[in-house]
Amino acid sequence: MSRAALLVLADGRFPAGGHAHSGGAEPAVTAGRITDAATLETFCRGRLHTAGLVAAGLAAAAAAGHDPLLLDDAADARTPVPALRQVARRLGRQMMRAARATWPSAALDALAAARPRGAHQPVVLGLAARSAGLAPLDAAHAVAYESISGPAGAAVRLLSLDPFDATAVLARLAADVDRVAQQGVDAAERVLAEGTDALPAASAPLLDITAQQHAAWPVRLFAS
């Protein structure tokens, strides 16, 4: 296992397409729910403990070697909104391209062949982590952090928010990221005995609703 590989995977410059997505921050800014660092922190905490937790469980399970096709079906079941399913698969397809170029493996090739239109991004990230020799907890940390770093970066652009303030939000949520990552791993460890129903299925209805609305906007800065 290489901690440097985790840094590569979690680096915002890793070419997995996340920079084009706001994680729901764009419609939240437009609706006035994110206006400053304090409201950004509230938004990110909520997203981390819902969408971030679900992603952490899926990524940890994939990194642990569980069947990625079953995990992809489980991700679909936890993503009721068509717009978010499309986004997750689009990001998964881009993550797959980057991962196969960086850490080639038969497992990544097999998933790419089985899901040519893209598997859900957390599943691909978890499989990429496994191909890089990383542990399930590493995969869970990477995807949990990504669930808040995307909206924080988007808020800087959308609000001209001070980047130092946005980074301070991420730092204040570090302990929450650790807890969510561990919860994801704990759930993934039960998959062998209980199946994918053991994975988190936390919901965020407002994120779902605004994501579907955002997909229909004629003009937007971010893809989602």
Side-chain angles (χ1 to χ4, degrees):
M1 183 175 65
S2 169
R3 289 298 181 194
L6 176 59
L7 296 177
V8 173
L9 183 62
D11 193 331
R13 291 164 294 188
F14 190 70
H19 65 278
H21 297 264
S22 77
E26 185 166 25
V29 167
T30 300
R33 286 187 285 271
I34 299 177
T35 58
D36 53 17
T39 49
L40 172 63
E41 183 172 345
T42 299
F43 176 89
C44 286
R45 180 174 286 106
R47 191 171 196 278
L48 173 62
H49 287 278
T50 52
L53 175 60
V54 172
L58 290 164
H66 294 294
D67 186 339
L69 297 181
L70 291 179
L71 294 175
D72 194 54
D73 290 341
D76 241 15
R78 288 159 173 75
T79 313
V81 177
L84 288 180
R85 286 199 297 270
Q86 184 179 32
V87 166
R89 293 192 179 282
R90 186 184 306 141
L91 285 170
R93 188 167 61 246
Q94 182 67 17
M95 171 67 72
M96 179 66 77
R97 290 182 60 195
R100 292 173 76 189
T102 310
W103 301 290
S105 74
L108 286 169
D109 292 343
L111 181 57
R115 294 287 190 270
R117 299 180 68 179
H120 280 256
Q121 190 261 6
V123 178
V124 180
L125 186 148
L127 201 57
R130 183 175 177 85
S131 298
L134 295 171
L137 185 58
D138 294 318
H141 265 112
V143 79
Y145 176 73
E146 183 183 56
S147 74
I148 59 172
S149 62
V156 171
R157 296 168 63 183
L158 291 162
L159 293 171
S160 296
L161 188 68
D162 190 327
F164 295 110
D165 291 337
T167 302
V169 166
L170 298 178
R172 287 194 293 272
L173 291 174
D176 287 70
V177 170
D178 289 342
R179 283 192 290 271
V180 165
Q182 187 60 58
Q183 288 169 2
V185 170
D186 292 344
E189 289 176 348
R190 302 198 304 272
V191 169
L192 186 61
E194 302 175 31
T196 56
D197 285 348
L199 295 173
S203 63
L206 190 56
L207 280 178
D208 291 343
I209 292 167
T210 57
Q212 194 63 41
Q213 293 171 340
H214 181 266
W217 287 8
V219 179
R220 53 189 178 180
L221 183 59
F222 291 92
S224 73

